[in-house]
Amino acid sequence: MLLWENMKLALTAIRVNKMRSFLTMLGMIIGISSVIAIVSIGDTMRSMFAKEYEEIGLNRVRCYVMKFDGYYYYSENFTADQFNEVASVFSDEIEYISANEGGTITGINGRKNYEIVSTGVRGGYEKVQKVNIIAGRMINNKDYEGKKNNIVLEEATAIELFGTADVVGKTMKVKYTQGGSGTFVDDFNIVGVYRNSQSVLMKLIGGTDNTRGLAYVPESIVFDINVNGVWMIDMFVSENAPATFQTKFTNYIARMTNAKPEDVRYSSARDAMGEMDSILGTLSIAVGAIAAISLVVGGIGIMNIMLVSVTERTREIGIRKALGARTGDVLTQFLIESAVISLVGGIIGASLGAGVVIAGGIALKVEVVVKPSVMLMAFAFSALVGIFFGLYPARKAAKSDPITALRYE
C-alpha cells in the first residue's frame, strides 16, 4: 500500500513539472531507443544472413588447392576426369558435385551483344539450389553427358537480347575464349529462362542487380572451354556424412593433386555462417555498449534533477518527518520517484527504438527481429539506472534534519 502511495506521489511530481520531467527523461529515451534499435538491427541482420545461408545450403562445401612454390601461391586445377573420380569415390557422402565455373561469355542476337557470366552445372542442380524457372527447364544430365550447347538464361538477359522473356526454343550465338586457343563463336539452344529473386540483403551488399546476366550451361561445356581445368570443387555434402568426412576428403584431394593436406582449402557454408553470426553478434554488442554510454549521461541528468527536487521540497520533507515519516520512508519515496522517471523514459525509448526498426523493416520489406527479452531488459535496466543515480539525492533527503527543514523557506 505504501509503495502504491509513493508511486502516486512520483507520478504527481512528474505531472506538476511536465517539461522538466520530459527533459530529464530525454537522456534515457535516447539511450534506450539507441540500444534497442542497434541490438534489433543486429539481430535482424543475423537472421537475414542465416536465411541467406540456408538458401545457399548449409551443407554446401567449396574445396580448392592452393600451393606455395616458395615465391607465391597458385591454384591447382581439377580436370573433368578428376571430378568424375571424386564423384564416384564419395558417391555416398556427396549429394551433388559441380565445377560451378564458367567465366564471362558474350551472347549475340543479330546486332545485339551482351556479356553474360556463365556457370557450369550438372543435372539435379535445382534440387540442391533454388532456381526459379519461369519457362522451359533447367540443365539436365542428358545435356551434361552429351556436351550439348544448351543454355538457361536469366529473364533480364533474355529481354536484353530478344526484347522478351519468351525465348525457349530459340537459338543464340555465344562467343567465348578457349584457354589461350583463341576466340570461338558457337550456336546455343535456349532451353530455359529463370527469374532472379534477389533478397534485400544481397541488394544492399552487392547492388540491386549484381547477379544479372548469370547463365547456366552444362559443366562438360565448361571443361571444353577451360581446357586447363577448373580451380574449385563445389559440392553439397549429405547430412548423413560421417564427422570424419572433411579429413577423409581433404586427404584424398591432397593425394590426387600431389599436394600437402594443409594446401587443401575446405570451406563450408555452415562454418561461414557461424563465423558471420559471431562477428555480427560481437559487433552488435560493441556498438550497443557504446550507445549505452548515453544511459550514464541520462542517469546523471536524473541525479541532477532529483537534487534540485530535494532542495525545492525541503519543507515538504520536514513536514513529513514531523508527522512521523521515518528516514526509510523518505528514502523510498525519492528512490521510487527517480525510478519512475527513468522507467517511463525507458518505456518511451524502447517503444521508439522498436518502432523505428519496425518502420524501417516495413519500408524495406524485411522481416525484422525485435526480441521481447531485450525490451524487458531495457525496462529493467532503465529502472535500475534511476535507482542507482537517485540513491544519493534520496539519501540526502532522508537524512535531512526535520527542524532545519521546517525552517527552510
Side-chain angles (χ1 to χ4, degrees):
M1 189 66 180
L2 182 61
L3 179 63
W4 175 241
E5 290 297 324
N6 283 324
M7 287 285 288
K8 288 198 294 184
L9 285 172
L11 293 172
T12 300
I14 292 172
R15 284 197 299 270
V16 169
N17 299 286
K18 294 183 181 68
M19 182 55 69
R20 188 172 74 179
S21 298
F22 174 74
L23 293 175
T24 305
M25 295 175 190
L26 199 56
M28 294 302 300
I29 292 171
I30 294 171
I32 291 292
S33 62
S34 300
V35 172
I36 290 291
I38 290 169
V39 172
S40 297
I41 290 171
D43 288 337
T44 299
M45 291 293 291
R46 292 168 71 181
S47 175
M48 290 173 69
F49 270 108
K51 288 180 180 178
E52 285 296 328
Y53 278 108
E54 287 174 4
E55 286 285 329
I56 293 171
L58 293 178
N59 60 333
R60 190 170 192 168
V61 172
R62 289 179 172 178
C63 182
Y64 58 96
V65 177
M66 192 64 69
K67 292 182 178 179
F68 183 65
D69 67 353
Y71 296 97
Y72 64 93
Y73 283 96
Y74 68 96
S75 62
E76 183 75 26
N77 285 354
F78 297 97
T79 65
D81 289 339
Q82 286 176 324
F83 260 82
N84 292 330
E85 178 185 334
V86 169
S88 176
V89 172
F90 296 97
S91 58
D92 293 334
E93 293 96 341
I94 298 176
E95 292 182 357
Y96 177 85
I97 185 170
S98 172
N100 197 16
E101 184 175 332
T104 302
I105 59 178
T106 303
I108 303 170
N109 178 40
R111 294 184 179 180
K112 289 186 178 179
N113 292 354
Y114 192 68
E115 282 197 345
I116 305 169
V117 178
S118 67
T119 183
V121 296
R122 299 186 179 195
Y125 181 74
E126 69 279 9
K127 295 178 181 178
V128 294
Q129 189 67 58
K130 182 180 178 182
V131 182
N132 184 17
I133 297 290
I134 59 173
R137 61 173 177 83
M138 188 57 182
I139 299 297
N140 58 32
N141 276 325
K142 288 184 178 180
D143 299 326
Y144 165 73
E145 292 166 0
K147 294 185 180 181
K148 295 181 179 179
N149 282 4
N150 289 341
I151 191 168
V152 176
L153 295 180
E154 198 266 325
E155 183 182 23
T157 301
I159 294 172
E160 186 74 29
L161 282 170
F162 294 90
T164 176
D166 185 18
V167 294
V168 174
K170 294 184 179 181
T171 301
M172 60 181 283
K173 292 188 179 297
V174 172
K175 182 169 69 175
Y176 58 89
T177 301
Q178 188 176 39
S181 300
T183 301
F184 299 84
V185 178
D186 281 338
D187 289 330
F188 273 70
N189 300 312
I190 303 170
V191 297
V193 177
Y194 76 95
R195 179 168 294 149
N196 174 25
S197 303
Q198 198 175 47
S199 69
V200 173
L201 178 62
M202 294 310 294
K203 288 178 181 178
L204 291 173
I205 292 174
T208 58
D209 214 15
N210 70 318
T211 57
R212 180 170 181 254
L214 183 67
Y216 296 103
V217 297
E219 181 193 283
S220 48
I221 297 294
V222 169
F223 277 108
D224 280 350
I225 295 174
N226 297 283
V227 292
N228 295 319
V230 298
W231 72 283
M232 184 178 66
I233 295 174
D234 186 17
M235 60 187 180
F236 288 78
V237 179
S238 171
E239 295 290 346
N240 299 322
T244 57
F245 171 76
Q246 180 177 343
T247 302
K248 180 182 175 183
F249 184 82
T250 53
N251 286 338
Y252 187 89
I253 295 297
R255 289 195 301 271
M256 187 174 71
T257 58
N258 296 317
K260 299 175 183 178
E262 58 267 27
D263 292 336
V264 181
R265 308 296 199 268
Y266 184 99
S267 175
S268 71
R270 193 182 302 277
D271 291 341
M273 187 188 75
E275 291 175 7
M276 181 60 70
D277 187 69
S278 177
I279 291 171
L280 288 174
T282 302
L283 186 63
S284 180
I285 291 171
V287 177
I290 294 172
I293 294 174
S294 59
L295 295 176
V296 178
V297 177
I300 293 172
I302 290 173
M303 178 185 286
N304 179 58
I305 206 65
M306 289 307 296
L307 285 170
V308 172
S309 181
V310 167
T311 301
E312 290 178 344
R313 295 159 64 185
T314 301
R315 188 171 181 81
E316 175 194 326
I317 295 167
I319 293 172
R320 287 201 68 191
K321 282 199 164 188
L323 293 173
R326 293 168 296 182
T327 299
D329 296 330
V330 177
L331 178 68
T332 301
Q333 176 191 344
F334 281 91
L335 273 181
I336 289 176
E337 187 171 322
S338 174
V340 167
I341 291 175
S342 183
L343 180 59
V344 172
I347 292 172
I348 296 172
S351 302
L352 180 62
V356 168
V357 173
I358 292 170
I362 293 171
L364 295 173
K365 297 181 180 178
V366 173
E367 185 178 345
V368 298
V369 178
V370 181
K371 295 180 178 177
S373 58
V374 175
M375 299 283 285
L376 291 173
M377 286 176 62
F379 298 152
F381 188 73
S382 61
L384 288 174
V385 167
I387 292 172
F388 178 80
F389 284 97
L391 186 59
Y392 174 72
R395 283 173 60 84
K396 182 179 179 182
K399 289 184 176 181
S400 61
D401 184 354
I403 297 175
T404 304
L406 286 168
R407 290 174 178 172
Y408 184 83
E409 295 295 335

